[in-house]
PDB file of all heavy atoms in Angstrom:
ATOM      1  N   VAL A 212      22.725 -69.226  85.506  1.00 97.00           N
ATOM      2  CA  VAL A 212      22.705 -70.534  86.153  1.00 97.00           C
ATOM      3  C   VAL A 212      21.356 -71.167  85.848  1.00 97.00           C
ATOM      4  O   VAL A 212      20.313 -70.514  85.949  1.00 97.00           O
ATOM      5  CB  VAL A 212      22.959 -70.432  87.671  1.00 97.00           C
ATOM      6  CG1 VAL A 212      21.951 -69.505  88.330  1.00 97.00           C
ATOM      7  CG2 VAL A 212      22.895 -71.804  88.323  1.00 97.00           C
ATOM      8  N   VAL A 213      21.379 -72.432  85.426  1.00 97.00           N
ATOM      9  CA  VAL A 213      20.148 -73.149  85.080  1.00 97.00           C
ATOM     10  C   VAL A 213      20.002 -74.336  86.030  1.00 97.00           C
ATOM     11  O   VAL A 213      20.836 -75.244  86.030  1.00 97.00           O
ATOM     12  CB  VAL A 213      20.173 -73.653  83.623  1.00 97.00           C
ATOM     13  CG1 VAL A 213      18.846 -74.332  83.280  1.00 97.00           C
ATOM     14  CG2 VAL A 213      20.443 -72.504  82.660  1.00 97.00           C
ATOM     15  N   VAL A 214      18.969 -74.319  86.838  1.00 97.00           N
ATOM     16  CA  VAL A 214      18.694 -75.397  87.784  1.00 97.00           C
ATOM     17  C   VAL A 214      17.686 -76.342  87.138  1.00 97.00           C
ATOM     18  O   VAL A 214      16.593 -75.920  86.761  1.00 97.00           O
ATOM     19  CB  VAL A 214      18.138 -74.839  89.112  1.00 97.00           C
ATOM     20  CG1 VAL A 214      17.750 -75.971  90.053  1.00 97.00           C
ATOM     21  CG2 VAL A 214      19.165 -73.926  89.767  1.00 97.00           C
ATOM     22  N   THR A 215      18.069 -77.622  87.005  1.00 96.00           N
ATOM     23  CA  THR A 215      17.199 -78.570  86.302  1.00 96.00           C
ATOM     24  C   THR A 215      16.675 -79.679  87.214  1.00 96.00           C
ATOM     25  O   THR A 215      16.091 -80.643  86.731  1.00 96.00           O
ATOM     26  CB  THR A 215      17.949 -79.199  85.112  1.00 96.00           C
ATOM     27  OG1 THR A 215      19.070 -79.953  85.592  1.00 96.00           O
ATOM     28  CG2 THR A 215      18.438 -78.117  84.157  1.00 96.00           C
ATOM     29  N   GLN A 216      16.913 -79.551  88.509  1.00 95.00           N
ATOM     30  CA  GLN A 216      16.317 -80.456  89.485  1.00 95.00           C
ATOM     31  C   GLN A 216      16.127 -79.661  90.770  1.00 95.00           C
ATOM     32  O   GLN A 216      16.903 -78.770  91.083  1.00 95.00           O
ATOM     33  CB  GLN A 216      17.223 -81.665  89.735  1.00 95.00           C
ATOM     34  CG  GLN A 216      18.595 -81.296  90.296  1.00 95.00           C
ATOM     35  CD  GLN A 216      19.547 -82.458  90.353  1.00 95.00           C
ATOM     36  OE1 GLN A 216      19.608 -83.273  89.428  1.00 95.00           O
ATOM     37  NE2 GLN A 216      20.307 -82.547  91.431  1.00 95.00           N
ATOM     38  N   LEU A 217      15.056 -79.969  91.501  1.00 95.00           N
ATOM     39  CA  LEU A 217      14.792 -79.221  92.719  1.00 95.00           C
ATOM     40  C   LEU A 217      15.913 -79.425  93.725  1.00 95.00           C
ATOM     41  O   LEU A 217      16.373 -80.550  93.935  1.00 95.00           O
ATOM     42  CB  LEU A 217      13.466 -79.645  93.326  1.00 95.00           C
ATOM     43  CG  LEU A 217      12.218 -78.858  92.910  1.00 95.00           C
ATOM     44  CD1 LEU A 217      11.009 -79.327  93.699  1.00 95.00           C
ATOM     45  CD2 LEU A 217      12.405 -77.361  93.060  1.00 95.00           C
ATOM     46  N   LEU A 218      16.342 -78.343  94.335  1.00 95.00           N
ATOM     47  CA  LEU A 218      17.304 -78.369  95.424  1.00 95.00           C
ATOM     48  C   LEU A 218      16.544 -78.132  96.730  1.00 95.00           C
ATOM     49  O   LEU A 218      15.390 -77.693  96.719  1.00 95.00           O
ATOM     50  CB  LEU A 218      18.348 -77.272  95.226  1.00 95.00           C
ATOM     51  CG  LEU A 218      19.181 -77.338  93.933  1.00 95.00           C
ATOM     52  CD1 LEU A 218      20.061 -76.111  93.816  1.00 95.00           C
ATOM     53  CD2 LEU A 218      20.018 -78.605  93.887  1.00 95.00           C
ATOM     54  N   PRO A 219      17.158 -78.425  97.867  1.00 95.00           N
ATOM     55  CA  PRO A 219      16.493 -78.107  99.146  1.00 95.00           C
ATOM     56  C   PRO A 219      16.057 -76.649  99.188  1.00 95.00           C
ATOM     57  O   PRO A 219      16.701 -75.770  98.619  1.00 95.00           O
ATOM     58  CB  PRO A 219      17.590 -78.407 100.174  1.00 95.00           C
ATOM     59  CG  PRO A 219      18.429 -79.454  99.526  1.00 95.00           C
ATOM     60  CD  PRO A 219      18.437 -79.127  98.065  1.00 95.00           C
ATOM     61  N   LYS A 220      14.970 -76.398  99.889  1.00 95.00           N
ATOM     62  CA  LYS A 220      14.283 -75.106  99.839  1.00 95.00           C
ATOM     63  C   LYS A 220      15.212 -73.920 100.114  1.00 95.00           C
ATOM     64  O   LYS A 220      15.304 -72.986  99.304  1.00 95.00           O
ATOM     65  CB  LYS A 220      13.140 -75.115 100.854  1.00 95.00           C
ATOM     66  CG  LYS A 220      12.281 -73.858 100.852  1.00 95.00           C
ATOM     67  CD  LYS A 220      11.120 -74.027 101.827  1.00 95.00           C
ATOM     68  CE  LYS A 220      10.215 -72.814 101.851  1.00 95.00           C
ATOM     69  NZ  LYS A 220       9.070 -73.016 102.783  1.00 95.00           N
ATOM     70  N   GLN A 221      15.888 -73.936 101.244  1.00 95.00           N
ATOM     71  CA  GLN A 221      16.729 -72.797 101.594  1.00 95.00           C
ATOM     72  C   GLN A 221      17.904 -72.653 100.635  1.00 95.00           C
ATOM     73  O   GLN A 221      18.303 -71.540 100.294  1.00 95.00           O
ATOM     74  CB  GLN A 221      17.220 -72.944 103.041  1.00 95.00           C
ATOM     75  CG  GLN A 221      16.099 -72.906 104.073  1.00 95.00           C
ATOM     76  CD  GLN A 221      15.222 -71.662 103.931  1.00 95.00           C
ATOM     77  OE1 GLN A 221      15.728 -70.548 103.710  1.00 95.00           O
ATOM     78  NE2 GLN A 221      13.903 -71.845 104.042  1.00 95.00           N
ATOM     79  N   ALA A 222      18.463 -73.779 100.209  1.00 94.00           N
ATOM     80  CA  ALA A 222      19.579 -73.733  99.263  1.00 94.00           C
ATOM     81  C   ALA A 222      19.137 -73.162  97.921  1.00 94.00           C
ATOM     82  O   ALA A 222      19.847 -72.372  97.293  1.00 94.00           O
ATOM     83  CB  ALA A 222      20.159 -75.135  99.072  1.00 94.00           C
ATOM     84  N   LEU A 223      17.933 -73.543  97.499  1.00 96.00           N
ATOM     85  CA  LEU A 223      17.402 -73.063  96.218  1.00 96.00           C
ATOM     86  C   LEU A 223      17.154 -71.560  96.269  1.00 96.00           C
ATOM     87  O   LEU A 223      17.541 -70.813  95.355  1.00 96.00           O
ATOM     88  CB  LEU A 223      16.111 -73.814  95.890  1.00 96.00           C
ATOM     89  CG  LEU A 223      15.455 -73.523  94.546  1.00 96.00           C
ATOM     90  CD1 LEU A 223      16.352 -73.962  93.399  1.00 96.00           C
ATOM     91  CD2 LEU A 223      14.097 -74.215  94.445  1.00 96.00           C
ATOM     92  N   PHE A 224      16.502 -71.095  97.330  1.00 96.00           N
ATOM     93  CA  PHE A 224      16.230 -69.668  97.464  1.00 96.00           C
ATOM     94  C   PHE A 224      17.529 -68.868  97.603  1.00 96.00           C
ATOM     95  O   PHE A 224      17.652 -67.759  97.074  1.00 96.00           O
ATOM     96  CB  PHE A 224      15.333 -69.406  98.674  1.00 96.00           C
ATOM     97  CG  PHE A 224      13.921 -69.914  98.513  1.00 96.00           C
ATOM     98  CD1 PHE A 224      13.047 -69.956  99.595  1.00 96.00           C
ATOM     99  CD2 PHE A 224      13.450 -70.355  97.278  1.00 96.00           C
ATOM    100  CE1 PHE A 224      11.741 -70.407  99.451  1.00 96.00           C
ATOM    101  CE2 PHE A 224      12.152 -70.823  97.120  1.00 96.00           C
ATOM    102  CZ  PHE A 224      11.298 -70.847  98.206  1.00 96.00           C
ATOM    103  N   HIS A 225      18.506 -69.427  98.316  1.00 95.00           N
ATOM    104  CA  HIS A 225      19.789 -68.740  98.468  1.00 95.00           C
ATOM    105  C   HIS A 225      20.496 -68.612  97.123  1.00 95.00           C
ATOM    106  O   HIS A 225      21.043 -67.544  96.803  1.00 95.00           O
ATOM    107  CB  HIS A 225      20.672 -69.510  99.452  1.00 95.00           C
ATOM    108  CG  HIS A 225      22.040 -68.926  99.605  1.00 95.00           C
ATOM    109  ND1 HIS A 225      22.280 -67.726 100.246  1.00 95.00           N
ATOM    110  CD2 HIS A 225      23.255 -69.368  99.173  1.00 95.00           C
ATOM    111  CE1 HIS A 225      23.572 -67.461 100.223  1.00 95.00           C
ATOM    112  NE2 HIS A 225      24.189 -68.437  99.579  1.00 95.00           N
ATOM    113  N   LEU A 226      20.466 -69.679  96.335  1.00 96.00           N
ATOM    114  CA  LEU A 226      21.102 -69.650  95.011  1.00 96.00           C
ATOM    115  C   LEU A 226      20.456 -68.582  94.141  1.00 96.00           C
ATOM    116  O   LEU A 226      21.140 -67.826  93.438  1.00 96.00           O
ATOM    117  CB  LEU A 226      20.985 -71.026  94.354  1.00 96.00           C
ATOM    118  CG  LEU A 226      21.589 -71.190  92.959  1.00 96.00           C
ATOM    119  CD1 LEU A 226      23.087 -70.893  92.979  1.00 96.00           C
ATOM    120  CD2 LEU A 226      21.329 -72.592  92.421  1.00 96.00           C
ATOM    121  N   ASN A 227      19.133 -68.487  94.207  1.00 96.00           N
ATOM    122  CA  ASN A 227      18.424 -67.474  93.430  1.00 96.00           C
ATOM    123  C   ASN A 227      18.797 -66.066  93.883  1.00 96.00           C
ATOM    124  O   ASN A 227      19.021 -65.175  93.051  1.00 96.00           O
ATOM    125  CB  ASN A 227      16.919 -67.701  93.554  1.00 96.00           C
ATOM    126  CG  ASN A 227      16.094 -66.624  92.869  1.00 96.00           C
ATOM    127  OD1 ASN A 227      15.296 -65.946  93.489  1.00 96.00           O
ATOM    128  ND2 ASN A 227      16.295 -66.449  91.580  1.00 96.00           N
ATOM    129  N   GLU A 228      18.892 -65.848  95.187  1.00 96.00           N
ATOM    130  CA  GLU A 228      19.227 -64.519  95.695  1.00 96.00           C
ATOM    131  C   GLU A 228      20.662 -64.139  95.336  1.00 96.00           C
ATOM    132  O   GLU A 228      20.935 -62.977  95.004  1.00 96.00           O
ATOM    133  CB  GLU A 228      19.026 -64.461  97.213  1.00 96.00           C
ATOM    134  CG  GLU A 228      17.569 -64.407  97.643  1.00 96.00           C
ATOM    135  CD  GLU A 228      16.857 -63.166  97.111  1.00 96.00           C
ATOM    136  OE1 GLU A 228      17.518 -62.133  96.883  1.00 96.00           O
ATOM    137  OE2 GLU A 228      15.634 -63.241  96.905  1.00 96.00           O
ATOM    138  N   ILE A 229      21.581 -65.097  95.406  1.00 95.00           N
ATOM    139  CA  ILE A 229      22.967 -64.819  95.017  1.00 95.00           C
ATOM    140  C   ILE A 229      23.020 -64.411  93.547  1.00 95.00           C
ATOM    141  O   ILE A 229      23.719 -63.460  93.161  1.00 95.00           O
ATOM    142  CB  ILE A 229      23.854 -66.058  95.262  1.00 95.00           C
ATOM    143  CG1 ILE A 229      24.075 -66.255  96.764  1.00 95.00           C
ATOM    144  CG2 ILE A 229      25.195 -65.928  94.557  1.00 95.00           C
ATOM    145  CD1 ILE A 229      24.911 -65.178  97.409  1.00 95.00           C
ATOM    146  N   ALA A 230      22.262 -65.118  92.711  1.00 95.00           N
ATOM    147  CA  ALA A 230      22.237 -64.790  91.286  1.00 95.00           C
ATOM    148  C   ALA A 230      21.661 -63.393  91.064  1.00 95.00           C
ATOM    149  O   ALA A 230      22.227 -62.585  90.315  1.00 95.00           O
ATOM    150  CB  ALA A 230      21.430 -65.844  90.521  1.00 95.00           C
ATOM    151  N   ARG A 231      20.550 -63.076  91.713  1.00 95.00           N
ATOM    152  CA  ARG A 231      19.915 -61.770  91.542  1.00 95.00           C
ATOM    153  C   ARG A 231      20.847 -60.644  91.980  1.00 95.00           C
ATOM    154  O   ARG A 231      20.961 -59.619  91.318  1.00 95.00           O
ATOM    155  CB  ARG A 231      18.620 -61.705  92.370  1.00 95.00           C
ATOM    156  CG  ARG A 231      17.481 -62.521  91.829  1.00 95.00           C
ATOM    157  CD  ARG A 231      16.286 -62.475  92.774  1.00 95.00           C
ATOM    158  NE  ARG A 231      15.815 -61.113  93.013  1.00 95.00           N
ATOM    159  CZ  ARG A 231      15.006 -60.442  92.215  1.00 95.00           C
ATOM    160  NH1 ARG A 231      14.581 -61.003  91.095  1.00 95.00           N
ATOM    161  NH2 ARG A 231      14.614 -59.215  92.525  1.00 95.00           N
ATOM    162  N   THR A 232      21.496 -60.842  93.103  1.00 94.00           N
ATOM    163  CA  THR A 232      22.352 -59.796  93.662  1.00 94.00           C
ATOM    164  C   THR A 232      23.552 -59.506  92.777  1.00 94.00           C
ATOM    165  O   THR A 232      24.060 -58.373  92.760  1.00 94.00           O
ATOM    166  CB  THR A 232      22.830 -60.215  95.068  1.00 94.00           C
ATOM    167  OG1 THR A 232      21.699 -60.512  95.875  1.00 94.00           O
ATOM    168  CG2 THR A 232      23.634 -59.097  95.726  1.00 94.00           C
ATOM    169  N   ASN A 233      24.002 -60.508  92.016  1.00 94.00           N
ATOM    170  CA  ASN A 233      25.233 -60.360  91.253  1.00 94.00           C
ATOM    171  C   ASN A 233      25.017 -60.333  89.740  1.00 94.00           C
ATOM    172  O   ASN A 233      25.950 -60.579  88.972  1.00 94.00           O
ATOM    173  CB  ASN A 233      26.200 -61.499  91.617  1.00 94.00           C
ATOM    174  CG  ASN A 233      26.691 -61.401  93.046  1.00 94.00           C
ATOM    175  OD1 ASN A 233      27.640 -60.688  93.338  1.00 94.00           O
ATOM    176  ND2 ASN A 233      26.021 -62.113  93.950  1.00 94.00           N
ATOM    177  N   GLY A 234      23.808 -60.034  89.318  1.00 93.00           N
ATOM    178  CA  GLY A 234      23.543 -59.863  87.892  1.00 93.00           C
ATOM    179  C   GLY A 234      23.626 -61.136  87.080  1.00 93.00           C
ATOM    180  O   GLY A 234      23.938 -61.103  85.886  1.00 93.00           O
ATOM    181  N   ILE A 235      23.341 -62.275  87.712  1.00 95.00           N
ATOM    182  CA  ILE A 235      23.371 -63.575  87.034  1.00 95.00           C
ATOM    183  C   ILE A 235      21.941 -64.014  86.753  1.00 95.00           C
ATOM    184  O   ILE A 235      21.099 -64.043  87.655  1.00 95.00           O
ATOM    185  CB  ILE A 235      24.087 -64.633  87.893  1.00 95.00           C
ATOM    186  CG1 ILE A 235      25.524 -64.197  88.189  1.00 95.00           C
ATOM    187  CG2 ILE A 235      24.071 -65.996  87.216  1.00 95.00           C
ATOM    188  CD1 ILE A 235      26.240 -65.088  89.189  1.00 95.00           C
ATOM    189  N   VAL A 236      21.654 -64.339  85.521  1.00 96.00           N
ATOM    190  CA  VAL A 236      20.314 -64.816  85.160  1.00 96.00           C
ATOM    191  C   VAL A 236      20.072 -66.172  85.817  1.00 96.00           C
ATOM    192  O   VAL A 236      20.940 -67.055  85.794  1.00 96.00           O
ATOM    193  CB  VAL A 236      20.185 -64.934  83.628  1.00 96.00           C
ATOM    194  CG1 VAL A 236      18.872 -65.608  83.248  1.00 96.00           C
ATOM    195  CG2 VAL A 236      20.274 -63.552  82.987  1.00 96.00           C
ATOM    196  N   PHE A 237      18.906 -66.340  86.410  1.00 97.00           N
ATOM    197  CA  PHE A 237      18.545 -67.585  87.089  1.00 97.00           C
ATOM    198  C   PHE A 237      17.368 -68.223  86.362  1.00 97.00           C
ATOM    199  O   PHE A 237      16.300 -67.628  86.252  1.00 97.00           O
ATOM    200  CB  PHE A 237      18.173 -67.308  88.543  1.00 97.00           C
ATOM    201  CG  PHE A 237      17.784 -68.533  89.333  1.00 97.00           C
ATOM    202  CD1 PHE A 237      18.739 -69.242  90.038  1.00 97.00           C
ATOM    203  CD2 PHE A 237      16.470 -68.974  89.362  1.00 97.00           C
ATOM    204  CE1 PHE A 237      18.387 -70.374  90.778  1.00 97.00           C
ATOM    205  CE2 PHE A 237      16.107 -70.101  90.087  1.00 97.00           C
ATOM    206  CZ  PHE A 237      17.066 -70.803  90.799  1.00 97.00           C
ATOM    207  N   ILE A 238      17.595 -69.448  85.877  1.00 97.00           N
ATOM    208  CA  ILE A 238      16.534 -70.200  85.183  1.00 97.00           C
ATOM    209  C   ILE A 238      16.338 -71.519  85.914  1.00 97.00           C
ATOM    210  O   ILE A 238      17.309 -72.173  86.304  1.00 97.00           O
ATOM    211  CB  ILE A 238      16.921 -70.489  83.711  1.00 97.00           C
ATOM    212  CG1 ILE A 238      17.335 -69.209  82.986  1.00 97.00           C
ATOM    213  CG2 ILE A 238      15.753 -71.172  82.985  1.00 97.00           C
ATOM    214  CD1 ILE A 238      16.262 -68.181  82.853  1.00 97.00           C
ATOM    215  N   MET A 239      15.098 -71.922  86.102  1.00 97.00           N
ATOM    216  CA  MET A 239      14.805 -73.233  86.670  1.00 97.00           C
ATOM    217  C   MET A 239      13.847 -73.967  85.736  1.00 97.00           C
ATOM    218  O   MET A 239      12.799 -73.427  85.375  1.00 97.00           O
ATOM    219  CB  MET A 239      14.196 -73.111  88.066  1.00 97.00           C
ATOM    220  CG  MET A 239      13.976 -74.448  88.753  1.00 97.00           C
ATOM    221  SD  MET A 239      13.529 -74.291  90.509  1.00 97.00           S
ATOM    222  CE  MET A 239      11.869 -73.616  90.377  1.00 97.00           C
ATOM    223  N   ALA A 240      14.221 -75.169  85.330  1.00 97.00           N
ATOM    224  CA  ALA A 240      13.383 -75.970  84.433  1.00 97.00           C
ATOM    225  C   ALA A 240      13.251 -77.364  85.030  1.00 97.00           C
ATOM    226  O   ALA A 240      14.256 -78.048  85.252  1.00 97.00           O
ATOM    227  CB  ALA A 240      14.013 -76.038  83.043  1.00 97.00           C
ATOM    228  N   LEU A 241      12.018 -77.786  85.294  1.00 97.00           N
ATOM    229  CA  LEU A 241      11.770 -79.036  86.016  1.00 97.00           C
ATOM    230  C   LEU A 241      10.776 -79.917  85.276  1.00 97.00           C
ATOM    231  O   LEU A 241       9.779 -79.437  84.757  1.00 97.00           O
ATOM    232  CB  LEU A 241      11.202 -78.731  87.414  1.00 97.00           C
ATOM    233  CG  LEU A 241      11.986 -77.760  88.308  1.00 97.00           C
ATOM    234  CD1 LEU A 241      11.165 -77.420  89.543  1.00 97.00           C
ATOM    235  CD2 LEU A 241      13.328 -78.342  88.690  1.00 97.00           C
ATOM    236  N   ASN A 242      11.077 -81.212  85.250  1.00 97.00           N
ATOM    237  CA  ASN A 242      10.111 -82.202  84.777  1.00 97.00           C
ATOM    238  C   ASN A 242       9.907 -83.217  85.883  1.00 97.00           C
ATOM    239  O   ASN A 242      10.848 -83.895  86.298  1.00 97.00           O
ATOM    240  CB  ASN A 242      10.613 -82.897  83.514  1.00 97.00           C
ATOM    241  CG  ASN A 242       9.717 -84.041  83.074  1.00 97.00           C
ATOM    242  OD1 ASN A 242      10.192 -85.034  82.540  1.00 97.00           O
ATOM    243  ND2 ASN A 242       8.421 -83.923  83.290  1.00 97.00           N
ATOM    244  N   ASN A 243       8.679 -83.297  86.367  1.00 96.00           N
ATOM    245  CA  ASN A 243       8.332 -84.258  87.400  1.00 96.00           C
ATOM    246  C   ASN A 243       7.095 -85.010  86.943  1.00 96.00           C
ATOM    247  O   ASN A 243       5.982 -84.481  86.991  1.00 96.00           O
ATOM    248  CB  ASN A 243       8.068 -83.557  88.732  1.00 96.00           C
ATOM    249  CG  ASN A 243       9.248 -82.710  89.181  1.00 96.00           C
ATOM    250  OD1 ASN A 243       9.222 -81.493  89.073  1.00 96.00           O
ATOM    251  ND2 ASN A 243      10.302 -83.350  89.667  1.00 96.00           N
ATOM    252  N   GLY A 244       7.288 -86.224  86.457  1.00 95.00           N
ATOM    253  CA  GLY A 244       6.177 -87.010  85.945  1.00 95.00           C
ATOM    254  C   GLY A 244       5.595 -86.393  84.697  1.00 95.00           C
ATOM    255  O   GLY A 244       6.303 -86.178  83.706  1.00 95.00           O
TER     256      GLY A 244
END
Side-chain angles (χ1 to χ4, degrees):
V212 56
V213 183
V214 176
T215 63
Q216 61 188 41
L217 268 185
L218 300 174
K220 184 176 181 179
Q221 296 306 318
L223 184 64
F224 291 169
H225 176 71
L226 180 60
N227 175 239
E228 286 299 332
I229 288 292
R231 288 176 58 83
T232 305
N233 293 276
I235 301 172
V236 172
F237 180 91
I238 308 297
M239 185 170 70
L241 307 171
N242 174 214
N243 304 104

